[in-house]
Amino acid sequence: MPYPVVHVLFFVFCISAVAVFAATRSFFRGELSLKGSTHLIFLLFIGSICSLFPDIVIIHSLFVSGTMEHCWAGPIPTHSLLFSLLAVLFGIVAGYAKYREPGRAMYLGLFAEAAFSSHLLLDDISEGGCEYLYPLYEKKISVFSMMDIGFRGTGIFDYLMASFVSVFFVWSIIMMALFALSKYGFELNYKEEK
């Protein structure tokens, strides 16, 4: 399990790179207003909290039982997409409390899901899997171990499918964050060359 600061930094500088890039570019151009910077800070704050959500149970475990157990909240694994619904709900509630617009609140919920999923990616890399599909499939699945297969031993079809699934999972998390951030004004623009 990476330290909490690693989860937050990975989310901010890798998954939310477009927001950091847009804010930095606007700052150096003198275009970043106080409202825009507080807007970005709020988004990254909510995302950072949600990137730590899978380990939130550790607070309860430390005070109640004196252990560092953080992978289960009762019968539900905290490192699963089912548990991520709490992060989505938190993002929606925080977004509605701040903006009072259901549409913007939903996009903040999507952003929270991307943050939560970024935590799962890092834990998958370091621990060799997460219970992503609980309760449909109760064993750990490692997206990154799928990348470490060769097509000679498994066949070209299995090799291509494993490669596609693992890369698609990472791509989908980045696209969730990009899509949500574009609705808040943080985006990269393509300008056709002349």
Side-chain angles (χ1 to χ4, degrees):
M1 171 181 97
Y3 290 109
V5 70
V6 175
H7 286 294
V8 171
L9 290 175
F10 179 76
F11 171 72
V12 170
F13 292 115
C14 294
I15 304 299
S16 302
V18 69
V20 174
F21 172 76
T24 304
R25 183 178 63 179
S26 296
F27 175 76
F28 284 114
R29 290 182 176 177
E31 301 169 347
L32 187 63
S33 66
L34 179 63
K35 182 180 179 184
S37 60
T38 57
H39 191 58
L40 174 66
I41 290 169
F42 175 73
L43 289 172
L44 293 180
F45 177 73
I46 296 300
S48 296
I49 288 173
C50 291
S51 73
L52 298 174
F53 249 56
D55 292 340
I56 198 82
V57 178
I58 201 167
I59 297 168
H60 176 267
S61 296
L62 278 173
F63 289 118
V64 173
S65 60
T67 66
M68 299 279 284
E69 173 59 40
H70 65 283
C71 294
W72 292 87
I76 300 172
T78 60
H79 290 65
S80 66
L81 295 176
L82 176 66
F83 195 76
S84 73
L85 295 176
L86 290 176
V88 172
L89 184 62
F90 175 74
I92 290 171
V93 169
Y96 191 77
K98 169 100 171 135
Y99 302 112
R100 300 281 185 217
E101 296 176 26
R104 292 183 98 181
M106 296 302 276
Y107 286 111
L108 193 56
L110 182 65
F111 191 62
E113 174 63 28
F116 185 95
S117 298
S118 74
H119 182 110
L120 297 184
L121 283 178
L122 285 181
D123 281 2
D124 187 349
I125 292 169
S126 69
E127 297 175 7
C130 294
E131 293 90 354
Y132 290 108
L133 300 178
Y134 181 87
L136 299 175
Y137 185 75
E138 296 185 11
K139 294 181 181 178
K140 285 188 173 188
I141 299 171
S142 178
V143 173
F144 292 101
S145 70
M146 286 187 216
M147 290 185 201
D148 195 28
I149 65 169
F151 65 87
R152 286 189 181 173
T154 61
I156 190 74
F157 182 74
D158 289 339
Y159 172 75
L160 290 174
M161 286 306 295
S163 299
F164 178 76
V165 167
S166 54
V167 171
F168 181 77
F169 186 69
V170 175
W171 174 82
S172 65
I173 293 169
I174 293 170
M175 291 308 291
M176 278 191 292
L178 288 173
F179 185 69
L181 286 169
S182 72
K183 297 301 178 185
Y184 287 98
F186 298 100
E187 57 188 24
L188 298 170
N189 295 321
Y190 170 74
K191 294 179 184 174
E192 191 171 338
E193 293 182 32
K194 296 179 181 178

